[in-house]
């Protein structure tokens, strides 16, 4: 599985961005997927995840502001980010599990990341 993120950029606080992650491979609909983010010196954080059954999970830090979704016909997942704050600045990574459901372990496949910068 190859993953390619897009949609990052610079936005002012309070603004919105939508990240996309296009996946290759025929098993996409059977993969749970997730978005992670990381800033230098901090641990990687799982921001949101979605199972093959479309059950979603959000980190407390983004709950009510970020929404993960998937389009199996396009082999793509999305992360709609609203009410962005400077603390949301990070490199955002798309990841695919080799399971149908979201599990605590590290996903097997990773994208190259896309930078999101929120100015105050």
């Amino acid at each position: 599985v190859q993953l390619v993120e897009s949609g990052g950029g610079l936005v002012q606080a309070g603004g919105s961005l939508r990240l996309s992650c296009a996946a290759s491979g025929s098993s996409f609909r059977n993969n749970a997927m997730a978005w992670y983010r990381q800033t230098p010196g901090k641990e990687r954080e799982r921001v949101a995840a979605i199972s093959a059954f479309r059950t979603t999970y959000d980190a407390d830090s983004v709950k009510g502001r970020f929404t993960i979704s998937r389009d199996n016909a396009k082999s793509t997942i999305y992360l709609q980010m609203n009410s962005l704050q400077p603390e949301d600045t990070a490199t955002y990574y798309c990841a695919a599990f080799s399971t149908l459901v979201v599990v605590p372990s590290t996903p097997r496949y990773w994208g190259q990341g896309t930078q999101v910068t929120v100015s105050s």
Side-chain angles (χ1 to χ4, degrees):
V1 176
Q2 291 187 323
L3 305 172
V4 179
E5 303 99 332
S6 61
L10 174 64
V11 64
Q12 289 188 331
S16 299
L17 281 175
R18 188 176 82 155
L19 304 182
S20 300
C21 172
S24 65
S26 59
S27 66
F28 175 80
R29 62 179 63 248
N30 296 324
N31 296 116
M33 304 290 294
W35 287 99
Y36 287 75
R37 66 185 180 187
Q38 189 168 26
T39 56
K42 290 188 176 181
E43 289 189 2
R44 184 172 56 196
E45 175 187 22
R46 182 185 293 178
V47 174
I50 184 167
S51 75
F53 310 107
R54 302 181 187 275
T55 303
T56 61
Y57 308 86
D58 302 320
D60 288 342
S61 58
V62 306
K63 201 174 293 289
R65 300 188 299 123
F66 291 10
T67 303
I68 188 171
S69 61
R70 66 189 298 157
D71 184 338
N72 287 343
K74 296 182 178 180
S75 297
T76 299
I77 66 167
Y78 304 97
L79 185 68
Q80 178 66 44
M81 305 186 293
N82 299 327
S83 301
L84 283 161
Q85 299 301 316
E87 53 265 34
D88 295 317
T89 295
T91 301
Y92 284 72
Y93 297 90
C94 172
F97 297 87
S98 56
T99 54
L100 290 164
V101 296
V102 177
V103 294
S105 57
T106 301
R108 182 173 181 181
Y109 306 101
W110 292 84
Q112 81 289 349
T114 186
Q115 179 67 34
V116 171
T117 302
V118 185
S119 63
S120 57

